[in-house]
Amino acid sequence: MKEIFEGIPKIAYEGPKSKNPLAFKFYDPERVIMGKPMKEHLPFAMAWWHNLCAAGTDMFGRDTADKSFGAEKGTMAHAKAKVDAGFEFMQKLGIRYFCFHDVDLVPEADDIKETNRRLDEISDYILEKMQGTDIKCLWGTANMFSNPRFMNGAGSSNSAEVFCFAAAQIKKALELTVKLGGRGYVFWGGREGYETLLNTDVKFEQENIAKLMHLAVDYGRSIGFAGDFYIEPKPKEPMKHQYDFDAATAIGFLRQYGLDKDFKMNIEANHATLAGHTFQHDLRISAINGMLGSIDANQGDTLLGWDTDEFPFNVYDATMCMYEVLKNGGLTGGFNFDSKTRRPSYTAEDMFQAYILGMDTFALGLIKAAALIEDGRLDRFVKERYASYESGIGARIREGSVTLAELAAYAEEKGAAALPGSGRQEQLESVVNEVLFG
Ligand code: XUL
Ligand code: CO
């Protein structure tokens, strides 16, 4: 097999003093952190679409990067060249998972039967490439947002015919996910929302989305899919409003429609910030509901109001992410780099350096989050902050053994409440800096 990324070596860990741009400074796969090697804490995944398909096109200009990998675009030969490139890329970086949409793998044909035939062919080829490697699928999904038929949504479309095409794509994508050993299956509702309420029956659309998800669960389980289904919340873009606005909204939806046993969240950093939250907030909301499943690792630009899908660079955010993940006891999924190089970063070296940046950022986050937990000051402070509920009237509130009238009588007897104690935010932020840089 001809090498595609000629001149790019296998990326090794060289440590923080290394100045080699093609080496890891912090990601040391075998290093043990809190009893587990880094590579097990951090099941990294390559996103097929950004890494092997996206070539820098934006609304104002065409491709800057050459992602032909030596084949003519739009052909099955190109689909196979992408598989070759992807496997060489993952092996050189030591990445053990990939995520895909159906249409990332093959060019979509006019007739869905032909698209499915192409998907069978390419997935046989991927299976062949997987042999003798430890590479597997992290999750699969169906792209139900690019084809014009999905302009009004997929499950939420006003057209029953479109609903059938969404079902057909999900059926096939589930089969592919099972065939490729996928841990999860994602629903990102990019067009499940509305542009205007003037033409939209929100209740009807939400019921239909839930129906489609139930059908997917039933079919997935019937073909042996034992993994988690995920909702990937996002508040907007491309639609003005998307129903899976954030983790709290998506969890409420899953519970309302009886889907909460089969689904968890796939939290993407830049989606959480678009919803007006921190990344950590949506991770925490998912975790406390037992629904933190997987992560789309990227970051946005706080000065921009859209999804920039940048490679993660912010070590504070990665630390707080890994803090949530460690407290959650890990993930059933992994860390998918739903990130793209900037338009002017158009070379093969940039593809590798982007993943090195992302993997090193999360490795640093892991090291620092473990240090914060081992330091113990944050945990101790939080525990003490709620100490008034450990005994007396507080303990009775927690047990539920007290009435509103009894609480009012307690307050009246006191006459005035003592202040609740300082939040010590600045002190705690100093603790974080000390652990990160001390
Ligand atoms: C879009 C996005 C998607 C999903 C999968 O913002 O994040 O790529 O991750 O459909
Ligand atoms: Co994503």
Side-chain angles (χ1 to χ4, degrees):
M1 171 75 52
K2 193 178 164 310
E3 195 178 1
I4 292 175
F5 301 105
E6 274 176 3
I8 301 207
K10 185 151 175 40
I11 308 300
Y13 169 73
E14 291 185 1
K17 297 221 159 59
S18 167
K19 299 281 182 280
N20 176 2
L22 289 172
F24 294 118
K25 318 299 181 305
F26 303 101
Y27 180 61
D28 181 4
E30 303 304 333
R31 175 171 165 194
V32 174
I33 307 272
M34 293 180 101
K36 248 185 5 187
M38 266 195 183
K39 68 172 188 210
E40 279 174 37
H41 280 289
L42 297 168
F44 289 128
M46 177 191 76
W48 211 271
W49 53 105
H50 284 315
N51 202 46
L52 304 173
C53 310
T57 289
D58 69 13
M59 306 249 256
F60 299 92
R62 60 176 184 271
D63 288 359
T64 55
D66 178 6
K67 299 255 173 110
S68 64
F69 306 117
E72 192 191 333
K73 281 193 166 183
T75 64
M76 282 305 281
H78 181 233
K80 287 191 178 160
K82 288 198 296 186
V83 178
D84 295 339
F87 274 78
E88 186 185 319
F89 185 84
M90 288 185 276
Q91 281 171 308
K92 284 187 166 169
L93 281 157
I95 291 177
R96 289 175 301 141
Y97 296 93
F98 60 85
C99 298
F100 70 89
H101 301 83
D102 44 4
V103 305
D104 304 336
L105 301 181
V106 294
E108 217 180 342
D110 290 338
D111 187 319
I112 195 167
K113 294 189 289 305
E114 170 58 14
T115 307
N116 287 347
R117 193 204 60 73
R118 293 177 187 177
L119 286 168
D120 290 338
E121 186 184 332
I122 206 72
S123 52
D124 285 345
Y125 189 59
I126 295 175
L127 262 188
E128 238 175 73
K129 297 287 284 198
M130 281 165 64
Q131 261 153 43
T133 75
D134 56 358
I135 295 174
K136 283 203 236 1
C137 168
L138 183 68
W139 52 256
T141 189
N143 177 324
M144 304 191 298
F145 44 90
S146 294
N147 191 299
R149 64 177 168 256
F150 296 122
M151 65 173 74
N152 293 341
S156 67
S157 177
N158 57 305
S159 158
E161 189 166 305
V162 171
F163 190 100
C164 296
F165 274 79
Q169 278 187 244
I170 293 170
K171 176 175 178 287
K172 192 68 188 173
L174 270 167
E175 290 163 1
L176 295 171
T177 303
V178 170
K179 181 171 173 182
L180 301 175
R183 282 193 186 188
Y185 183 88
V186 162
F187 280 85
W188 170 61
R191 299 211 190 259
E192 308 290 38
Y194 59 80
E195 292 299 337
T196 171
L197 286 172
L198 293 175
N199 65 12
T200 304
D201 185 337
V202 173
K203 184 165 184 287
F204 186 91
E205 292 197 357
Q206 293 199 346
E207 285 169 1
N208 274 3
I209 295 169
K211 265 199 181 73
L212 188 58
M213 288 179 173
H214 270 293
L215 292 167
V217 169
D218 291 347
Y219 184 72
R221 299 305 181 214
S222 81
I223 60 165
F225 176 64
D228 287 318
F229 288 86
Y230 301 120
I231 282 188
E232 184 180 320
K234 185 177 182 184
K236 56 189 163 189
E237 196 203 13
M239 295 300 258
K240 171 195 169 74
H241 178 89
Q242 278 155 217
Y243 295 135
D244 302 328
F245 194 88
D246 59 3
T249 313
I251 291 167
F253 169 86
L254 292 172
R255 292 202 175 129
Q256 183 181 354
Y257 292 104
L259 289 156
D260 48 311
K261 299 283 172 291
D262 292 283
F263 275 79
K264 289 190 164 65
M265 295 294 117
N266 178 40
I267 297 298
E268 177 163 326
N270 202 173
H271 294 181
T273 51
L274 280 180
H277 304 308
T278 59
F279 181 23
Q280 187 184 8
H281 168 93
D282 255 22
L283 294 168
R284 178 77 61 92
I285 295 297
S286 306
I288 63 171
N289 285 287
M291 287 207 193
L292 176 54
S294 204
I295 285 176
D296 268 15
N298 65 13
Q299 70 178 47
D301 185 322
T302 46
L303 300 180
L304 302 176
W306 62 92
D307 195 11
T308 57
D309 285 339
E310 293 169 38
F311 275 88
F313 156 70
N314 184 316
V315 176
Y316 281 106
D317 286 350
T319 301
M320 297 331 292
C321 166
M322 292 313 297
Y323 187 79
E324 298 300 323
V325 170
L326 287 174
K327 295 249 173 194
N328 191 56
L331 300 172
T332 52
F335 297 82
N336 166 48
F337 286 109
D338 196 351
S339 316
K340 55 185 185 231
T341 53
R342 298 303 85 193
R343 182 171 156 79
S345 303
Y346 60 90
T347 72
E349 284 82 357
D350 291 307
M351 290 167 68
F352 281 85
Q353 285 166 15
Y355 271 75
I356 292 170
L357 168 68
M359 292 162 81
D360 268 343
T361 299
F362 271 82
L364 260 174
L366 170 64
I367 295 165
K368 297 301 177 185
L372 270 175
I373 291 171
E374 277 158 3
D375 174 87
R377 278 178 285 176
L378 296 185
D379 277 340
R380 273 200 300 283
F381 183 81
V382 172
K383 185 160 175 9
E384 273 163 30
R385 189 155 180 255
Y386 298 92
S388 68
Y389 286 92
E390 277 167 19
S391 59
I393 194 74
R396 294 188 59 208
I397 294 171
R398 296 292 290 171
E399 283 158 23
S401 64
V402 68
T403 65
L404 197 69
E406 284 171 298
L407 295 175
Y410 178 94
E412 279 167 26
E413 200 194 314
K414 290 266 166 186
L419 290 178
S422 168
R424 299 266 182 256
Q425 181 170 335
E426 297 77 3
Q427 187 197 110
L428 299 172
E429 287 171 348
S430 292
V431 168
V432 172
N433 275 351
E434 196 188 306
V435 168
L436 259 69
F437 304 107

